[in-house]
Amino acid sequence: MTTKLAVFASGTGTNFVAIADAITANQLDAEIKVLVVDKINAPVVTRAKERNIPIFHLKYKDYDTKELAEASLVTELNKYQIELIALAGFMRIITPTLLAAYPNKIINIHPSLLPAFPGRHGIDDAFTAKVPQTGVTIHYVDSGIDSGSVIAQQVVPIEQTDTLVSLEAKIHAVEHVLYPTTLAQLINHN
Ligand code: GRF
């Protein structure tokens, strides 16, 4: 059975594209039923429109609390009978409201070897720390910041010659393979 997937994103959307392309290439038995964004001007929105994927703009400021915003999101996701949620550069903390509706069904990608360098600047922080290697982590989402249990990791060595720009490019290249393949493994084991 084709898994009904929701992707949540706030930005550029290269991971969204990697997942969508893997589906098109029959490498991932899923369908992106909806893209959830918190910013309607994010470039990822254009990428979803190009692929005729429905977009749901969650306007957090229209709700008194984040929990109420997420309750309306759960109603929307239920319409699509969503089975798995992939966060792909979604810059918001998920609360227990959404976590309870999708236990162990919300996955995130983070550009470091967690638990090292959580937070918004995982690549920059690893580069500045001059560690010999960093990488990419796919993990389950909990209510903390990049703190859920790890599903998959891939190391990216930091060479003497690397700049922040070259390291970012290497990390993103790994992300675009690791995310779809990990999603495929999760889907195939369910
Ligand atoms: C990626 O580096 C991802 O690991 C992080 O946010 C970035 C999103 O990039 N969580 P994009 O929007 O998928 O291009």
Side-chain angles (χ1 to χ4, degrees):
M1 283 283 282
T2 300
T3 296
K4 299 181 182 72
L5 188 63
V7 178
F8 290 21
S10 303
T12 315
T14 62
N15 283 284
F16 168 81
V17 168
I19 294 167
D21 286 352
I23 292 170
T24 305
N26 290 322
Q27 293 159 355
L28 180 55
D29 187 11
E31 182 184 354
I32 304 176
K33 302 295 279 186
V34 61
L35 169 72
V36 174
V37 294
D38 58 338
K39 295 177 195 153
I40 201 64
N41 295 325
V44 68
V45 169
T46 307
R47 292 164 182 231
K49 284 183 182 165
E50 286 163 358
R51 291 166 173 78
N52 292 318
I53 292 170
I55 296 148
F56 180 70
H57 179 201
L58 183 58
K59 297 176 197 153
Y60 283 87
K61 65 175 173 48
D62 286 358
Y63 300 88
D64 287 339
T65 66
K66 206 170 177 184
E67 286 74 11
L68 285 171
E70 282 189 357
S72 83
L73 177 56
V74 170
T75 303
E76 186 69 17
L77 297 173
N78 284 342
K79 287 185 200 165
Y80 294 102
Q81 301 177 297
I82 294 302
E83 297 164 293
L84 188 61
I85 296 171
L87 308 188
F90 189 63
M91 305 306 275
R92 302 259 179 179
I93 305 293
I94 303 297
T95 80
T97 304
L98 187 60
L99 291 168
Y102 290 92
N104 282 325
K105 297 292 179 194
I106 309 178
I107 314 299
N108 184 40
I109 184 164
H110 183 77
S112 77
L113 293 178
L114 291 172
F117 309 114
R120 283 176 177 248
H121 307 292
I123 305 175
D124 207 336
D125 291 346
F127 185 74
T128 305
K130 300 192 188 314
V131 288
Q133 60 181 31
T134 182
V136 175
T137 302
I138 314 288
H139 65 94
Y140 288 106
V141 172
D142 63 15
S143 55
I145 297 175
D146 304 319
S147 53
S149 61
V150 170
I151 303 167
Q153 288 187 309
Q154 188 169 328
V155 168
V156 175
I158 305 180
E159 313 289 350
Q160 293 284 341
T161 50
D162 268 324
T163 61
L164 180 57
V165 171
S166 70
L167 182 62
E168 282 171 347
K170 286 184 199 175
I171 296 262
H172 294 314
V174 168
E175 288 187 323
H176 299 157
V177 178
L178 189 65
Y179 211 2
T181 53
T182 304
L183 285 168
Q185 283 164 9
L186 283 173
I187 284 169
N188 293 340
H189 286 124
N190 280 330

